[in-house]
Amino acid sequence: SDMGDMRSSRRSLVSIYNSDEEDTRNNVMPRDRTLFTDQHISVDMLGGFEVHPYARAYLGTLAARRCDQDSQNAMSILLNELRPVAIVFVGLHDLDDIDPRDSTLLQLMNDAFKILSRITHACNGAVRDMLFDDKGCVFISVFGAHSHEVNPCFDATVSAMRMESALKDLKLKRFSLGVSFGECFCGEVGPPIRSDYVVMGPEVNLAARLMGKAPNRGTLVSKRIYSHSKKFIHFIKSQEIQVKGKDGFFHAYIPQTRIERQNLEIAEPQQPFVIMPSRQSAMDSLMQVKERAGEGKPTICFVSGGPFLGKSRLI
């Protein structure tokens, strides 16, 4: 596909390369040309990792240098970075002193975990943990760490509102939620045999402290969450609070209800309401690839485009 067209287009592009039809116009020269002076280069010459030399040439990052140095965590470097994420902490205080012999309480814990997980996934988030620590029983979800959501603040706030309603339906008497947004380190830490994917940063701590300050059976969100979601959700300002790690007193916000879509200015191109383009042309191209493969003709199909365009959904 033409690179200029790909940059200017807002649609996913599907381009097909047939092994029996060489088109020199579409040949792309990688930036690192020095790798290809020897035409017999193999994956073993790139640090022993299963990385094709053409793929290696496009890395151009710390991961590529680590790969050349035989580092064990070379490719995982690609996953480690500072990302703007939203974090939701749910304190399930009814379960703080759970007795393993109490089958009713254990069933309630399992029900809560299943419901909170489903809500998280439905709102484009990922479950980070459900654990017991000094804060009691805590469920943690994160939005924006594993993909590029349109508006992780909106997704996290809607998720928290749904969680609050679901926990009330479960008849839990004591719970609270805290939501915060900001740059956090997202990636793998620890040795290979005990590595874990973590989200760390001051915003994680703030979400936990907002959870601790939230009213019983209620939710508090940070000012950043409020600023990024106020066009889509009604909030009321809380009383001034003070938390560890923050100087002085400040206001948090309590989400109320979603703003009806018809009340928004339709002409204003605001997220998360995105008009999705037709995928029929792309689907037709993919079906042609499938038919060629069924006829025994090797074919490679590339699905490319910017974030939020529906590449994963198309496949």
Side-chain angles (χ1 to χ4, degrees), residues 27-36 52-59:
N27 287 343
V28 180
M29 179 60 66
R31 296 192 305 270
D32 191 353
R33 300 188 182 192
T34 59
L35 283 176
F36 305 103
H52 191 278
Y54 280 96
R56 159 62 178 81
Y58 283 101
L59 291 178

Side-chain angles (χ1 to χ4, degrees), residues 165-190:
S165 177
L167 293 175
K168 289 178 179 177
D169 291 341
L170 277 179
K171 310 300 182 184
L172 265 70
K173 298 179 180 179
R174 296 181 300 129
F175 66 86
S176 58
L177 299 92
V179 190
S180 184
F181 171 76
E183 279 200 342
C184 296
F185 169 82
C186 305
E188 294 183 3
V189 298

Side-chain angles (χ1 to χ4, degrees), residues 249-311:
F249 291 83
F250 65 94
H251 290 285
Y253 295 85
I254 304 171
Q256 298 296 295
T257 58
R258 290 182 59 173
I259 298 175
E260 295 296 331
R261 184 172 179 177
Q262 57 265 29
N263 294 338
L264 296 176
E265 296 182 14
I266 302 302
E268 191 174 357
Q270 293 291 340
Q271 302 291 6
F273 306 118
V274 181
I275 299 176
M276 295 300 295
S278 171
R279 294 287 183 260
Q280 189 58 50
S281 176
M283 286 299 299
D284 291 343
S285 298
L286 289 175
M287 292 305 296
Q288 292 176 12
V289 172
K290 181 180 178 182
E291 292 172 2
R292 288 180 56 85
E295 296 170 358
K297 299 177 181 178
T299 305
I300 299 175
C301 179
F302 296 93
V303 179
S304 58
F308 327 133
L309 297 184
K311 298 183 293 298

Side-chain angles (χ1 to χ4, degrees), residues 69-139:
Q69 298 167 1
D70 286 334
S71 298
Q72 291 184 345
N73 64 339
M75 299 311 294
S76 66
I77 294 295
L78 292 173
L79 303 175
N80 300 350
E81 60 182 354
L82 288 174
R83 297 183 184 178
V85 298
I87 304 97
V88 177
F89 268 68
V90 185
L92 303 171
H93 308 308
D94 279 344
L95 306 177
D96 287 351
D97 302 315
I98 192 168
D99 186 345
R101 296 166 296 183
D102 189 339
S103 60
T104 303
L105 207 54
L106 285 173
Q107 184 61 47
L108 181 61
M109 181 183 69
N110 287 327
D111 291 341
F113 177 78
K114 287 189 292 185
I115 291 175
L116 297 179
S117 297
R118 289 170 183 165
I119 294 173
T120 298
H121 297 148
C123 295
N124 304 317
V127 176
R128 175 64 191 91
D129 261 323
M130 185 169 181
L131 47 83
F132 292 84
D133 58 12
D134 58 330
K135 302 178 184 63
C137 181
V138 180
F139 179 92

Side-chain angles (χ1 to χ4, degrees), residues 189-251:
V189 298
I193 61 173
R194 297 188 62 186
S195 63
D196 189 16
Y197 189 88
V198 302
V199 178
M200 299 186 297
E203 296 301 326
V204 178
N205 298 333
L206 179 57
R209 286 156 189 163
L210 287 172
M211 176 194 71
K213 292 290 184 176
N216 185 40
R217 308 185 91 195
T219 303
L220 284 183
V221 307
S222 68
K223 186 174 182 179
R224 285 182 177 176
I225 292 286
Y226 164 75
S227 298
H228 286 82
S229 305
K230 61 184 179 181
K231 292 185 178 181
F232 312 110
I233 298 174
H234 288 294
F235 293 89
I236 60 173
K237 187 181 292 186
S238 75
Q239 296 181 348
E240 287 190 330
I241 60 173
Q242 186 177 29
V243 300
K244 182 180 178 182
K246 292 284 187 179
D247 295 331
F249 291 83
F250 65 94
H251 290 285

Side-chain angles (χ1 to χ4, degrees), residues 35 38 40-49 51 67-68 70:
L35 283 176
D38 182 357
H40 301 289
I41 190 168
S42 68
V43 293
D44 293 333
M45 297 177 63
L46 295 173
F49 292 91
V51 180
C67 187
D68 293 338
D70 286 334

